[in-house]
């Protein structure tokens, strides 16, 4: 592996299949990115038959420890931005209520504690959605609690919640431009 460039992107994959393959492709367009793969995301990867074959400038970090050891690097300035995409309703709810018991929620918590900006592509953003499942398009009807949690997350400091793939792309590009302007 080549020498790691820091600071880097931290991209978190959760157990949501909503625009999973498209989000996965966006990771490939970033340089110097670490991909955090939750246990649920590992299951989704198998369902969509995707491989974690990224360029050498990227690391893949799996959810293998109870204390999410890889998040310690936030305290050493390793990351400039966190992207959680796609973010399952479970991940969003835990983030909103301060529960950090998975790799995904630990990354979000540590980013907040270290003042690292986060972009969250929440899946449950409207009362009725269509999403691509492994075997085709399906309709999803998020519960009120899921929609409420997405709204609550929007109030978090240094957290941008996006509600569509186009908004995700725009937010990542804006952040990339900010980073280039800074230095």
């Amino acid at each position: 592996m080549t020498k790691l460039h820091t600071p880097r992107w931290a991209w978190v994959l959760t157990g949501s299949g909503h625009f999973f393959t498209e989000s996965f492709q966006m990771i490939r367009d970033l340089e110097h990115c670490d991909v955090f793969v939750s246990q649920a995301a590992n299951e989704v990867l198998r369902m969509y038959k995707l491989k974690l074959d990224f360029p050498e400038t990227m690391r893949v970090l799996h959810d293998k420890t109870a204390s999410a050891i890889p998040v310690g690097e936030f305290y050493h300035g390793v990351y400039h931005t966190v992207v959680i995409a796609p973010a399952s309703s479970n991940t969003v709810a835990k983030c909103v209520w301060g529960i950090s018991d998975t790799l995904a929620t630990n990354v979000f918590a540590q980013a907040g504690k270290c003042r690292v900006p986060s972009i969250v592509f929440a899946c449950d953003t409207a009362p009725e959605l269509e999403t691509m499942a492994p075997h085709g398009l399906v309709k999803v009807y998020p519960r009120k609690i899921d929609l409420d949690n997405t709204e609550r997350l929007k109030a978090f400091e240094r957290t941008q919640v996006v509600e569509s793939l186009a908004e995700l792309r725009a937010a990542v590009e804006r952040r990339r431009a900010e980073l280039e302007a800074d230095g």
Side-chain angles (χ1 to χ4, degrees):
M1 181 189 248
T2 60
K3 184 176 185 310
L4 293 178
H5 175 272
T6 58
R8 320 169 51 75
W9 295 87
W11 194 296
V12 181
L13 295 172
T14 73
S16 173
H18 188 62
F19 290 107
F20 191 89
T21 56
E22 293 86 348
S23 296
F24 198 80
Q25 186 54 46
M26 287 182 67
I27 296 168
R28 294 180 191 287
D29 295 337
L30 295 175
E31 287 188 47
H32 313 297
C33 179
D34 287 348
V35 182
F36 291 80
V37 183
S38 71
Q39 289 180 355
N42 268 323
E43 294 171 3
V44 176
L45 284 164
R46 285 191 298 276
M47 284 190 282
Y48 285 88
K49 297 178 174 57
L50 295 171
K51 301 277 187 237
L52 296 168
D53 54 347
F54 295 112
E56 283 188 9
T57 61
M58 296 185 180
R59 294 187 299 176
V60 177
L61 304 164
H62 293 274
D63 195 355
K64 291 184 177 179
T65 63
S67 62
I69 290 169
V71 301
E73 291 187 332
F74 278 91
Y75 292 98
H76 302 290
V78 172
Y79 302 106
H80 56 65
T81 309
V82 168
V83 181
I84 303 176
S88 66
S89 60
N90 185 52
T91 297
V92 169
K94 287 181 175 188
C95 290
V96 165
W97 296 105
I99 300 167
S100 51
D101 63 349
T102 66
L103 184 59
T105 56
N106 263 297
V107 166
F108 183 77
Q110 299 315 310
K113 292 176 183 182
C114 295
R115 297 184 173 166
V116 174
S118 295
I119 301 166
V120 181
F121 181 21
C123 299
D124 294 330
T125 58
E128 182 177 322
L129 301 165
E130 286 188 343
T131 190
M132 187 58 69
H135 302 293
L137 204 60
V138 296
K139 283 202 178 236
V140 179
Y141 305 93
R143 304 167 303 167
K144 181 179 182 323
I145 188 72
D146 300 324
L147 298 172
D148 290 349
N149 283 335
T150 296
E151 286 303 311
R152 285 182 187 103
L153 192 60
K154 291 177 182 180
F156 276 54
E157 296 172 29
R158 287 176 288 285
T159 300
Q160 179 182 5
V161 176
V162 297
E163 298 186 6
S164 69
L165 195 57
E167 284 183 25
L168 175 60
R169 282 191 186 109
V172 168
E173 287 308 312
R174 258 190 318 276
R175 183 65 179 141
R176 191 187 324 234
E178 288 171 7
L179 293 165
E180 288 174 6
D182 288 344

